[in-house]
Amino acid sequence: MPSESLTSMENGAAADTAAAIRNYVRANMTALRDVDLRDDDNFFEKGFVTSIFAMQMLDFIESTFGIEVPDDRITLQNFSSIDSMTRMVGELKHAAGE
Amino acid sequence: MRQVSEEQTRDPVVRARLFAEHELADRAGEFDRTGRLPRDVIRKMADEGLLGAAVPKRWGGHGLDPLAYGELTESVGKACASTRALLTVHTSLVCETLAERASDRLKGKYLTDLATGRRIGCFALSEAEAGSDAASVTTRYVKKGDIFVLDGRKKWISFAGIADLLLVFANDNGVSSAFLVERDMPGVEIHPMSGFLGNRATHIAEVSFTDVEVPAENLVSGIGLGFGFVANTALFHGRYSIAWAGVAIAQAALEVMCAYATEREQFGTRIGSHQLVQKMVADAVTQVAAARELCRRAGRLRLERSTDAVMATNIAKYFSSTIAQQVTSDAVQVLGGNGCWDQYPAERLFREAKILEIIEGTSQLQQLMIADYGYKKFAVRSRGGEDEVL
Ligand SMILES: Cc1cc2nc3c(=O)[nH]c(=O)nc-3n(C[C@H](O)[C@H](O)[C@H](O)COP(=O)(O)OP(=O)(O)OC[C@H]3O[C@@H](n4cnc5c(N)ncnc54)[C@H](O)[C@@H]3O)c2cc1C
């Protein structure tokens, strides 16, 4: 369920990015929990994901979007919600001239 | 012993095998009895480039891909579990993790020294009250200006007895961070432990930190990234190493078992012709082959940087440590009284195999993660009108 703030600023590419991240997060959420995941939910705080998730997410983002996340971008804040990851991927792609 | 060409002797994997066969296999029993890995062995490993085998060339390593590194780990582990443990801890848990998660500045400061064996690293996560629940460590850090101050106590730290550098995990009110701590920083004390079932030559120690001042630049990755990113990256590499360690020990036990069964006679015939012995051998052959293929699969997925590599590694670690336990137990059985005697390698292999089911996440922890993955992947159910994988 995309949050309103993001919905209003989504363009096509960002929507695709968000959808890919959303699918990956959903496929990796702890299985035996019924959760309604919002794009602005901090899934570390809500305990939606297992502990290896952060590392997998970084690999997923780098391999799916063909970008390298620089050291100073690897912060819990940037990886804590679908919104924050979508924003970061958009900025990194923009910086790479895409 | 297989012949090797001149060209092959330049291949790090072949060199590792030769080193293991010529210089480790006959001494593994001695290392186990004396409880120490001699300096000359560690120096030779450094000279052979083993300690940086999986580290990118840019940082002084060999830059081996995961499949080659796995094969190398098997060769060393088949000859000596304690020596292989140095690869697991120093090369996989510490070096590979720094290569991926540390800043270039921190890599420049430490990684080349580690990859070339000028310094030895160890991995300090566990504590007396924080084992499987590793995120709950009570070692604390506080930021004061441009230093971090660490206080606490780690337990079961392999190679802490001889390491120069410790990768330490600490919490600040639930915010987990990782630090590189030098052994001779004031306030670091090493308390050697002994009396272990296996891994006896791995210089295990407790480590206490009392007001240890660590420069801010020794923070790995960033504040809050200790468990989620750094420890999990390390365990991803460590588990891959342990998966190959299981294949290694099981392969060694299989060879011991087969050699004995084709020599020893009882009831006027070789014991290997008794069908109940053949069952143990057949199971061992099959299990070793299956475990090796799971390790290779994990290796291929790692090479492709596939996100499936994480679960493939957990599955390989779980399976190969389980079968290593079964195969070594059967090796003891096939050798009978000699299997229980330290003049034969079976009892040592049996003890070493058990360790693999405990370290880098116990088998139960692997089962929890694998089951969770199973539900997500295989429990397809209909929700809100569309089919989705949980
Ligand atoms: C030889 C050796 C070397 C080691 N080297 C290192 C090292 O270099 N660095 C380091 O940081 N640590 C090291 N360790 C520590 C090791 O990682 C821990 O022993 C391991 O994580 C298990 O923790 P524990 O011993 O506290 O057992 P516990 O966590 O107390 O577990 C005890 C039992 O309870 C089970 N259990 C616990 N939680 C659950 C659960 N949720 N569901 C089902 N079962 C559960 C476990 O599977 C196990 O069977 C080493 C240990 C050994 C034996």
Side-chain angles (χ1 to χ4, degrees):
Chain A
M1 191 191 298
S3 65
E4 273 179 37
S5 60
L6 191 67
T7 315
S8 57
M9 57 179 250
E10 270 180 349
N11 56 29
D16 289 349
T17 301
I21 292 175
R22 198 176 300 124
N23 282 343
Y24 187 73
V25 172
R26 291 177 78 133
N28 280 281
M29 286 186 341
T30 305
L32 294 176
R33 260 179 190 232
D34 273 324
V35 285
D36 196 6
L37 177 73
R38 291 168 47 94
D39 282 5
D40 57 356
D41 276 336
N42 181 322
F43 26 71
F44 293 109
E45 277 170 12
K46 298 212 165 178
F48 290 163
V49 290
T50 56
S51 64
I52 41 179
F53 176 74
M55 187 194 90
Q56 276 178 288
M57 198 68 227
L58 173 60
D59 280 347
F60 170 78
I61 284 181
E62 291 191 336
S63 58
T64 307
F65 303 109
I67 50 176
E68 192 171 333
V69 181
D71 289 347
D72 60 354
R73 293 281 191 151
I74 303 176
T75 61
L76 266 197
Q77 187 62 35
N78 279 346
F79 284 84
S80 59
S81 70
I82 294 169
D83 276 354
S84 59
M85 286 187 281
T86 304
R87 204 173 305 121
M88 179 182 69
V89 170
E91 286 167 9
L92 289 173
K93 282 179 147 183
H94 181 72
E98 280 179 42
Chain B
M1 218 164 276
R2 279 173 279 172
Q3 295 294 314
V4 285
S5 68
E6 203 174 306
E7 189 187 331
Q8 280 180 316
T9 56
R10 285 196 296 273
D11 176 343
V13 179
V14 175
R15 289 183 66 91
R17 180 169 58 75
L18 295 174
F19 167 71
E21 287 174 354
H22 294 296
E23 308 204 33
L24 293 179
D26 290 345
R27 297 179 69 189
E30 168 207 327
F31 303 162
D32 179 62
R33 267 192 310 284
T34 56
R36 51 189 301 274
L37 196 59
R39 277 282 162 184
D40 71 277
V41 172
I42 299 175
R43 223 176 356 258
K44 194 79 202 284
M45 289 173 80
D47 292 346
E48 292 288 341
L50 290 175
L51 296 177
V55 176
K57 288 186 174 159
R58 178 177 171 209
W59 302 107
H62 264 308
L64 290 189
D65 71 48
L67 288 162
Y69 181 55
E71 206 183 313
L72 178 150
T73 303
E74 183 185 343
S75 294
V76 174
K78 189 179 153 206
C80 175
S82 286
T83 311
R84 186 274 311 146
L86 183 59
L87 285 181
T88 303
V89 170
H90 171 94
T91 311
S92 297
L93 285 170
V94 179
C95 290
E96 287 199 87
T97 305
L98 293 182
E100 279 176 37
R101 296 283 175 260
S103 62
D104 280 1
R105 184 186 160 105
L106 204 52
K107 284 183 213 164
K109 188 171 174 187
Y110 293 117
L111 186 55
T112 309
D113 275 4
L114 289 165
T116 52
R118 275 194 293 275
R119 296 194 210 221
I120 296 298
C122 70
F123 178 78
L125 176 63
S126 304
E127 299 177 358
E129 304 304 329
S132 300
D133 184 11
S136 68
V137 297
T138 58
T139 296
R140 299 184 312 276
Y141 69 89
V142 183
K143 185 151 175 27
K144 285 191 182 161
D146 56 0
I147 57 163
F148 290 95
V149 181
L150 265 63
D151 279 281
R153 194 175 179 95
K154 297 290 177 182
K155 194 172 182 185
W156 319 111
I157 309 308
S158 303
F159 294 101
I162 58 166
D164 308 286
L165 196 65
L166 301 90
L167 179 54
V168 181
F169 296 84
N171 267 326
D172 174 18
N173 291 316
V175 179
S176 164
S177 299
F179 303 90
L180 282 175
V181 178
E182 294 182 18
R183 178 199 190 85
D184 43 22
M185 284 176 173
V188 176
E189 276 183 40
I190 311 284
H191 313 272
M193 297 173 72
S194 60
F196 287 95
L197 176 71
N199 274 23
R200 288 181 174 172
T202 60
H203 303 267
I204 299 178
E206 288 190 66
V207 186
S208 58
F209 303 90
T210 312
D211 293 333
V212 178
E213 297 187 353
V214 181
E217 65 182 24
N218 282 27
L219 172 72
V220 183
S221 271
I223 298 273
L225 304 180
F227 193 72
F229 284 86
V230 184
N232 281 318
T233 299
L235 293 171
F236 174 56
H237 294 303
R239 281 175 192 153
Y240 183 64
S241 177
I242 296 301
W244 281 102
V247 174
I249 292 179
Q251 175 70 36
L254 171 63
E255 292 178 17
V256 166
M257 177 195 287
C258 288
Y260 197 83
T262 51
E263 290 277 325
R264 169 81 175 163
E265 292 188 6
Q266 286 292 281
F267 299 100
T269 180
R270 305 261 159 83
I271 60 167
S273 61
H274 298 307
Q275 289 182 348
L276 293 176
V277 172
Q278 287 174 353
K279 178 194 181 297
M280 289 189 268
V281 172
D283 285 352
V285 170
T286 307
Q287 286 171 327
V288 171
R292 189 177 286 109
E293 285 310 315
L294 281 179
C295 288
R296 286 183 179 148
R297 174 171 167 267
R300 283 191 297 274
L301 290 168
R302 294 166 82 92
L303 191 59
E304 293 164 13
R305 289 192 64 88
S306 162
T307 43
D308 292 338
V310 173
M311 196 46 66
T313 300
N314 290 345
I315 291 170
K317 190 272 180 187
Y318 170 53
F319 185 77
S320 86
S321 55
T322 304
I323 68 100
Q325 180 60 23
Q326 289 163 3
V327 173
T328 55
S329 171
D330 282 348
V332 170
Q333 196 68 22
V334 169
L335 269 70
N338 285 329
C340 304
W341 189 29
D342 70 3
Q343 301 303 302
Y344 287 77
E347 62 86 29
R348 175 166 45 81
L349 296 170
F350 178 61
R351 289 186 285 106
E352 300 290 15
K354 187 66 203 172
I355 303 291
L356 305 183
E357 294 187 304
I358 311 276
I359 55 175
E360 315 279 335
T362 65
S363 288
Q364 287 71 38
L365 268 284
Q366 305 306 324
Q367 286 169 317
L368 294 183
M369 290 186 282
I370 294 167
D372 192 57
Y373 164 78
Y375 294 139
K376 283 183 297 225
K377 191 160 171 68
F378 303 115
V380 181
R381 74 174 185 190
S382 187
R383 206 207 275 168
E386 1 159 354
D387 270 356
E388 60 181 278
V389 176
L390 281 183

